[in-house]
Amino acid sequence: MQQLLTALLSSALDTLTASTASSAQANANNRRAFTPNYAKAARWSSTAAAYSFMALAILMALAMIRNIIYNAKSRHTKIVYSVLLAWCVIRTAGFALRGYILTDNNGQDVTLFKWATILGGVGFMPLAQVLALCTLEGSALAFGSTLKARRPFDRLIRLLFVVSAVTLAAFVIDFTCNKPLGSNVKDYTVDLVLREIGFNGLILIALYTLLGSIRNMFVVARQGKVPAVFLPRFRMMMVVIAFQSMLMLIKLVFTTYRNWNPLELRDEWIWYLLSIGPEFLLVLCFMHHGFLRVYDDIERSKLGSEETADQPKPQELEGFLTT
């Protein structure tokens, strides 16, 4: 009788254990089956668009490398093309990751999704630096400022960019990694402060480059520091910078609106149109060396003038030889 009870208890225990294991396996399967696709939840949809922009960014990177090696002659243009190349690399990586996430069910990988979001959020910042560099150099040429005279203001603009870039990157990383998908930044004080410092700083830089380039267009002839032969090309360069500054402002205003209203304008095509489109149009102007070349030519002209001024005049040389 005792052996019978033991056998029954053992059988019941085995059945319970098997049932528990089966239930746990079923729950695990259900969890895997219901793992959210973060990319689809964020309204990412077009794999073709992601890979197309990746290919375009690669072509732009090759153009920047060509310009650095063969076309850029001055320190300024080499730096500008190097910063643009950094933008190309970031955007290539970001769109490659975005395209991969949109393939099959890779959007369920939350780590990849966060990386793609971070790269998408900070990848545009090199363009603000490019606009600031071109406007600062344009102002120096238009007013004939010496390196010592222009240094304080240059440092101020560069400091503003560094502070804005660091705080904005900190906001994007923290908000992406530590806050639930679809959160409103207004609910998190630290992120709100970081976002305000970063975006307002970049908006100030874009406004400075817009107004500064327009000012340079009108004062360059009156100042007389740029040779007349270069005036049309210099003014065209400032027109390009003003146009690019407006593109940057469009992107910043759209991104700010999305931060305040995360449930609005979520369709992917709107993001491509108002956020990514302005970036690529901005960089498109620099794929050929035609616009930036004016900086090289003016600097070369000034160096030639200085060398000519250092040479003795014919009358002085004649007087020296007859003494």
Side-chain angles (χ1 to χ4, degrees):
M1 185 67 175
Q2 185 176 359
Q3 292 178 349
L4 180 60
L5 288 174
T6 302
L8 288 173
L9 288 173
S10 177
S11 177
L13 183 60
D14 291 343
T15 302
L16 180 61
T17 302
S19 176
T20 302
S22 177
S23 176
Q25 182 64 33
N27 289 336
N29 291 336
N30 287 336
R31 282 196 299 270
R32 284 196 294 269
F34 289 104
T35 298
N37 189 310
Y38 298 96
K40 291 182 179 178
R43 300 271 184 96
W44 298 4
S45 58
S46 178
T47 306
Y51 283 129
S52 296
F53 276 96
M54 180 197 74
L56 185 56
I58 291 174
L59 291 176
M60 289 179 165
L62 294 176
M64 299 310 153
I65 293 173
R66 180 199 63 196
N67 288 333
I68 292 172
I69 296 174
Y70 297 108
N71 296 326
K73 304 302 180 184
S74 66
R75 179 174 177 270
H76 167 71
T77 52
K78 288 181 184 293
I79 291 175
V80 168
Y81 285 129
S82 297
V83 176
L84 288 170
L85 179 59
W87 174 88
C88 294
V89 171
I90 295 172
R91 279 298 179 229
T92 298
F95 281 113
L97 196 55
R98 189 184 184 97
Y100 175 77
I101 287 173
L102 290 171
T103 305
D104 298 327
N105 290 319
N106 295 325
Q108 294 177 348
D109 190 326
V110 66
T111 302
L112 291 180
F113 174 76
K114 287 180 177 180
W115 270 108
T117 302
I118 291 171
L119 289 175
V122 303
F124 74 95
M125 289 191 290
L127 300 183
Q129 184 180 10
V130 166
L131 295 178
L133 290 172
C134 290
T135 305
L136 287 170
E137 186 70 14
S139 298
L141 294 175
F143 289 92
S145 305
T146 63
L147 183 61
K148 183 178 180 180
R150 59 182 283 194
R151 186 173 293 154
F153 190 70
D154 285 8
R155 287 179 175 175
L156 176 63
I157 296 298
R158 288 187 171 93
L159 178 63
L160 177 60
F161 172 77
V162 170
V163 171
S164 301
V166 170
T167 54
L168 182 57
F171 157 69
V172 171
I173 293 171
D174 182 69
F175 194 73
T176 301
C177 296
N178 301 322
K179 304 301 184 294
L181 181 66
S183 298
N184 194 319
V185 67
K186 291 182 287 187
D187 298 330
Y188 304 95
T189 304
V190 174
D191 287 328
L192 178 62
V193 172
L194 292 173
R195 198 220 80 89
E196 287 299 289
I197 295 173
F199 268 94
N200 288 334
L202 292 178
I203 288 174
L204 283 175
I205 290 175
L207 288 173
Y208 158 71
T209 59
L210 174 62
L211 299 177
S213 58
I214 293 174
R215 178 200 60 184
N216 292 341
M217 273 189 284
F218 289 103
V219 304
V220 62
R222 188 166 64 249
Q223 292 293 323
K225 302 299 182 179
V226 173
V229 67
F230 299 124
L231 287 180
R233 290 169 54 203
F234 180 86
R235 285 183 174 134
M236 179 56 66
M237 182 72 251
M238 293 301 104
V239 170
V240 170
I241 297 300
F243 171 68
Q244 292 171 324
S245 300
M246 288 187 285
L247 291 175
M248 180 60 68
L249 286 171
I250 290 172
K251 176 186 176 61
L252 290 171
V253 169
F254 168 75
T255 306
T256 299
Y257 184 85
R258 285 281 294 116
N259 288 154
W260 294 137
N261 305 277
L263 300 180
E264 299 181 24
L265 301 180
R266 297 179 60 202
D267 291 336
E268 189 180 46
W269 69 267
I270 299 178
W271 178 73
Y272 276 113
L273 177 65
L274 296 179
S275 183
I276 297 302
E279 290 186 38
F280 277 81
L281 280 176
L282 191 157
V283 179
L284 190 64
C285 298
F286 293 124
M287 287 188 69
H288 190 270
H289 190 52
F291 289 121
L292 283 179
R293 183 179 175 182
V294 68
Y295 290 110
D296 293 342
D297 292 343
I298 293 174
E299 183 169 328
R300 190 183 302 125
S301 173
K302 286 190 172 185
L303 289 174
S305 300
E306 291 173 359
E307 291 176 359
T308 303
D310 292 337
Q311 294 177 356
K313 296 180 181 180
Q315 296 85 348
E316 296 175 351
L317 185 60
E318 182 180 356
F320 173 77
L321 293 175
T322 56
T323 56

